[in-house]
Amino acid sequence: MRHGVLCALLLTATSFVGTTFAQGLDAPSTKAMAPASADLILSNGKILTPRGWMPSVAIGNGVILAVGDDAAMRPHRTSRTRVIDLHGDTVFPGLNDAHVHVMWGGLQLTGVAKGINDLMSSKIASLTRAQRTAAIQAGLQEMLSYGVTSFNDALSEEEDMTIFAALADAGKLKQRVKVCIRWDGGAAKAAAEALIENRAHFSRKRITTDCVKLYTDGAPMMRTARMLEPYAGDPHTVGQWTIPPDQLKQLVQQFDARGFTLKIHGTGDGAARSSLDAIEAARKANGWSPQMHELAHNSFVAPEDLKRARSVGATLEFSPYIWYPTPFEDVATRATVGDERMERVHPAREAIEAGALVVGGSDWPFADSVSPWLGIETLVTRRTPGGGGHAVGEKEAITIEQALDMFTVNAAKELRARDKLGAIEPGLLADIVVLDRNPLQIPITQVHQTKAKLVFIEGEIVYDAAKPRS
Ligand SMILES: [Zn+2]
């Protein structure tokens, strides 16, 4: 109401200025717009912003109105503004998980699946809609508990998409979801293409469905990752193609022309090269599109290809969180590729120094935890969470600021939403997280324990650790 009156006054003032200048010239108004009123002010905190730490943030209509001190809040504060005293708590922008399998992770949380083998078994095919819905809701809640406000569901099937859409319609899906639909060249080709055609049926305000997932190779520990050089002790094996290079070029070119963003699975350095070749060919054929096609995983990428990622407009997504000693990577992968290549496993530092757009994903439940804080700590230490022991690929260690960027501002760029997400600054959507500690002011070996106390999406409280859902 008050806002409306101010706008009416402002309109009158503008018309007056208009008649003074007359002659139909569009004279710029020198009157400032009335400050928008805040629904919510978080005060007395440590808020991470591009201008440094700030004590307060004002939020109105889901948008960040102002960051700064009490004086900066005052113009936005009305009798209806809710004020939350943070008592010195730390506030970060919401985090993005660039690669996760929500239903599979949730099936483990709800006890329906015990491990990865269970997930791959036929048992999963016979699950009811109710079991799947419960699993997805458990997965969503688990991610919120770490401050994950947006994610890429990296291999969505029709059932997942149906449930995401139903939850959104019921007001129960709060996070932003980028769904990637698997393209299949085999028996499921017709079904996959029908689902891709029908994608808009599942898109919602916070669900985008214009991503297609392609597989170029397998995984190093199975010797199915496509490598540039043979596997250790096996001079005749360089791995396999799931989609060979010529076919990949055709597919990337076709999907790029139709406006899709591609997420291309590749773990070997040969697969990475083939994906970059395909993206480069699509740029030449179609011209530059805004889609930042993604190479997923990137266990191994040749140095010259890291440099190409920037020049062809590709995003490098590092996942799962296994760039520290795990049986999965440090033992099984090391055994197949040898010690020398392991020195550059998940080459995050080189990728960032080459100017590539780099994002991080858990690949949960293939990583033990969906916590991005586990990923962030170990990108810096390259050691077991909590420290100690030996490091893996230590030369590829990055700073915590670089690691945070992978989960915030870089992810927003990849989503083509940097004008809406990725930082706490006026004009962006209020996807923000109150944390239980300050990851930038504690020993790095404690960062993996970070949890969210409160999570806001567009200014709405969507998670409160003090009131866990039953
Ligand atoms: Zn995955």
Side-chain angles (χ1 to χ4, degrees), residues 99 101 104 154 213 215 297 363 366:
H99 190 135
H101 304 280
W104 292 344
K213 177 87 176 274
Y215 281 78
H297 304 305
D363 207 1
F366 298 99

Side-chain angles (χ1 to χ4, degrees), residues 20-287:
T20 312
F21 282 87
Q23 321 294 328
L25 285 173
D26 277 335
S29 169
T30 52
K31 300 265 178 188
M33 252 193 57
S37 53
D39 305 313
L40 175 69
I41 290 175
L42 305 180
S43 72
N44 191 26
K46 281 197 74 131
I47 301 170
L48 182 70
T49 82
R51 295 187 293 131
W53 297 108
M54 295 287 169
S56 302
V57 57
I59 296 161
N61 208 12
V63 174
I64 297 166
L65 302 175
V67 288
D69 57 10
D70 285 351
M73 300 298 108
R74 211 165 293 131
H76 303 281
R77 190 167 172 169
T78 73
S79 56
R80 291 207 313 272
T81 302
R82 179 183 179 194
V83 179
I84 296 178
D85 186 337
L86 293 170
H87 300 285
D89 278 347
T90 300
V91 181
F92 273 31
L95 281 80
N96 179 77
D97 186 332
H99 190 135
V100 62
H101 304 280
V102 182
M103 188 170 67
W104 292 344
L107 288 171
Q108 291 199 350
L109 288 179
T110 55
V112 174
K114 299 277 181 287
I116 301 296
N117 289 342
D118 252 10
L119 291 171
M120 298 300 139
S121 75
S122 55
K123 184 179 160 182
I124 298 303
S126 61
L127 294 177
T128 64
R129 171 74 54 85
Q131 283 174 307
R132 291 167 189 265
T133 302
I136 286 183
Q137 285 191 280
L140 294 171
Q141 191 71 4
E142 179 77 359
M143 285 194 282
L144 283 177
S145 75
Y146 300 108
V148 175
T149 52
S150 62
F151 63 88
N152 183 331
D153 197 60
L155 184 62
S156 302
E157 295 182 65
E158 186 167 354
E159 188 69 7
D160 308 76
M161 293 163 67
T162 303
I163 296 169
F164 284 139
L167 289 172
D169 293 342
K172 291 177 180 168
L173 177 82
K174 300 298 185 181
Q175 285 125 312
R176 301 175 199 287
V177 190
K178 173 179 166 177
V179 154
C180 290
I181 308 168
R182 179 177 188 169
W183 179 86
D184 192 302
K189 188 167 191 266
E193 287 182 346
L195 186 58
I196 292 167
E197 286 293 327
N198 201 23
R199 67 197 176 279
H201 183 66
F202 306 94
S203 68
R204 295 291 185 276
K205 185 168 169 259
R206 292 182 188 169
I207 306 173
T208 62
T209 55
D210 54 359
C211 171
V212 170
K213 177 87 176 274
L214 301 173
Y215 281 78
T216 51
D217 72 349
M221 64 282 282
M222 272 108 74
R223 298 182 184 246
T224 50
R226 183 75 185 200
M227 303 298 290
L228 294 170
E229 301 293 332
Y231 280 92
D234 194 354
H236 303 295
T237 305
V238 289
Q240 295 172 8
W241 294 119
T242 307
I243 298 175
D246 283 345
Q247 191 187 11
L248 186 69
K249 275 186 189 162
Q250 279 176 14
L251 287 166
V252 171
Q253 190 175 320
Q254 287 165 10
F255 282 118
D256 175 74
R258 292 168 67 192
F260 288 96
T261 302
L262 293 157
K263 189 174 185 74
I264 312 172
H265 168 110
T267 55
D269 46 12
R273 180 162 297 172
S274 168
S275 299
L276 291 164
D277 287 346
I279 295 168
E280 189 171 19
R283 302 292 188 210
K284 283 200 180 116
N286 300 339

Side-chain angles (χ1 to χ4, degrees), residues 287-366:
W288 276 73
S289 71
Q291 296 104 266
M292 287 296 289
H293 302 302
E294 229 178 82
L295 276 61
H297 304 305
N298 299 299
S299 307
F300 302 98
V301 187
E304 58 270 39
D305 287 326
L306 290 169
K307 294 192 180 84
R308 284 174 70 209
R310 181 190 170 111
S311 62
V312 306
T315 304
L316 299 177
E317 172 252 272
F318 289 107
S319 69
Y321 303 151
I322 50 167
W323 34 73
Y324 59 90
T326 60
F328 210 31
E329 195 84 316
D330 193 34
V331 181
T333 299
R334 185 180 293 278
T336 60
V337 304
D339 291 337
E340 196 184 323
R341 280 182 281 199
M342 284 301 285
E343 287 188 14
R344 292 186 61 253
V345 70
H346 283 117
R349 181 187 60 79
E350 283 179 78
I352 291 169
E353 286 178 2
L357 184 62
V358 176
V359 298
S362 63
D363 207 1
W364 184 59
F366 298 99

